[in-house]
Amino acid sequence: MMSSPAGHAPRSAGRLVAVGAGLAALAVLLWAVGMTVWQPLTEPVGPWSERLPDAHTYWARDLRFLALMAVVSGLVLAGGGRRGWTLRAVLLGGGALAADVAVDRADPTGPGATVSLVVLGWLAVALTAASAVRRDAAPGRDRAVLAGLSVVAAVLALVAVLTRAPTDREPELGPAALMTGLLLLALTVAAALAAAPGRGRARIAVAVGVAVVGGVGLPLVRLVGPADRLPPAAVLGAVLLVGVTVLTRPWPGGRPAWRRYALLVPVTLVVPLALLSGALLASAVLGLGAPLTGLAGNSPIAGSDALPSLAGLLAGLGTALLLAGVTRRPAAPPRCVAGTTASTAGRTGRTGSPPTGSGRRR
């Protein structure tokens, strides 16, 4: 775990808490709208009945689950990836999933229900953050966790814009998927900046470039027909993942080793969508969504109730672990004197100069 430079920790930590908590609050708002506005469209009384024989009938549920993952991600970001914050954020995510199923069963609709859910969600986020602040007084941030978070959020943003419906002509689906994807993109860039080992104009320029590419690319992917979205999504994912990897890794000599990072392009083109496809297949075969559908009081669809949101989370975690392993470089031991490293000094007893009074001849 690396701490912030002396004299800058309080201000930096305050900014991080504000950004992370703000993005978590926006995710709560998105979740509440998904529950009270978008979910009724997929109910049997809605215009696009969930009894249609298609796995994509549950698009509102998947976007809500992605919003809940954004809430957890925002809290992890607010705490700088530290263990206490991360644990409480994950526990809140588990409780929020149970609450989502219970609220879905109650079928709330209307502005009043939306406001009530937003207030309750904000209260849960505030209490979780306050509990973490009281119990976790450790300074600094865990940059490895934040780097992994940026990768996971990038993959989830792709899952959001790839979300489909039975006809893919529902007017609410496009804006809902795009808003969810852009929120996750904001978390991607914020987490990557928080994980960056340094600051400077060059890193800020890379972050702005990632944000611009994502802000333009996500709507473009959404504009493509459902059957043709995977190739542009793969290209966009590669750009985002290489960009956040560049941001979160050290730059020897003050500039990124572009040739080395270019080798990641084939990996980031194939791996995320391959992991997503495998996780989706396993989710569909195991019918992981069916219990949630039943508990929510909705009509199950035999053999096709997958969970793309869960598959995206697993794909994101797998991609993060892979990129961390591929880009990890052993740190050079600090040099004590010319030609002598710390490890050599430890073996020979030399630490730069002989200790005073050692009796060694100069």
Side-chain angles (χ1 to χ4, degrees), residues 25-324:
L26 287 176
V28 168
L29 176 60
L30 200 61
W31 170 81
V33 172
M35 179 64 76
T36 59
V37 178
W38 300 327
Q39 177 62 31
L41 299 178
T42 66
E43 299 291 341
V45 296
W48 299 283
S49 170
E50 65 185 0
R51 294 193 177 116
L52 290 172
D54 194 299
H56 306 300
T57 300
Y58 302 111
W59 60 268
R61 179 189 65 184
D62 289 314
L63 291 179
R64 288 202 318 274
F65 286 2
L66 289 173
L68 292 179
M69 292 176 190
V71 173
V72 174
S73 300
L75 285 174
V76 173
L77 174 63
R82 297 193 301 274
R83 182 177 299 177
W85 282 76
T86 301
L87 176 61
R88 285 164 180 79
V90 171
L91 291 176
L92 174 64
L97 177 61
D100 178 278
V101 174
V103 174
D104 189 6
R105 190 177 185 88
D107 293 328
T109 58
T114 305
V115 172
S116 298
L117 291 179
V118 169
V119 171
L120 290 174
W122 285 352
L123 181 61
V125 168
L127 290 176
T128 302
S131 171
V133 167
R134 286 197 303 269
R135 294 175 179 269
D136 182 16
R141 61 190 68 174
D142 191 324
R143 299 189 187 278
V145 171
L146 293 173
L149 176 63
S150 68
V151 173
V152 173
V155 174
L156 291 178
L158 298 178
V159 174
V161 295
L162 288 172
T163 301
R164 296 177 56 186
T167 65
D168 212 63
R169 291 194 299 269
E170 289 79 346
E172 292 83 2
L173 172 57
L178 189 55
M179 284 188 288
T180 306
L182 290 174
L183 176 62
L184 288 162
L185 173 66
L187 283 163
T188 299
V189 177
L193 275 175
R199 289 290 187 272
R201 292 183 179 179
R203 286 192 188 270
I204 296 299
V206 173
V208 170
V210 171
V212 170
V213 169
V216 174
L218 291 175
L220 290 178
V221 171
R222 199 62 216 170
L223 289 175
V224 178
D228 301 319
R229 283 183 187 145
L230 279 180
V235 173
L236 176 61
V239 174
L240 294 180
L241 291 173
V242 171
V244 298
T245 303
V246 170
L247 270 175
T248 56
R249 299 301 187 268
W251 293 0
R255 62 181 59 186
W258 292 112
R259 290 184 179 180
R260 181 165 176 256
Y261 290 119
L263 298 177
L264 293 178
V265 173
V267 176
T268 53
L269 271 172
V270 176
V271 169
L273 292 184
L275 291 176
L276 177 61
S277 300
L280 268 175
L281 179 61
S283 177
V285 170
L286 297 175
L288 298 181
L292 298 178
T293 301
L295 289 172
N298 297 326
S299 303
I301 298 176
S304 60
D305 196 353
L307 279 174
S309 51
L310 175 61
L313 177 61
L314 295 176
L317 291 172
T319 303
L321 290 174
L322 178 64
L323 290 179

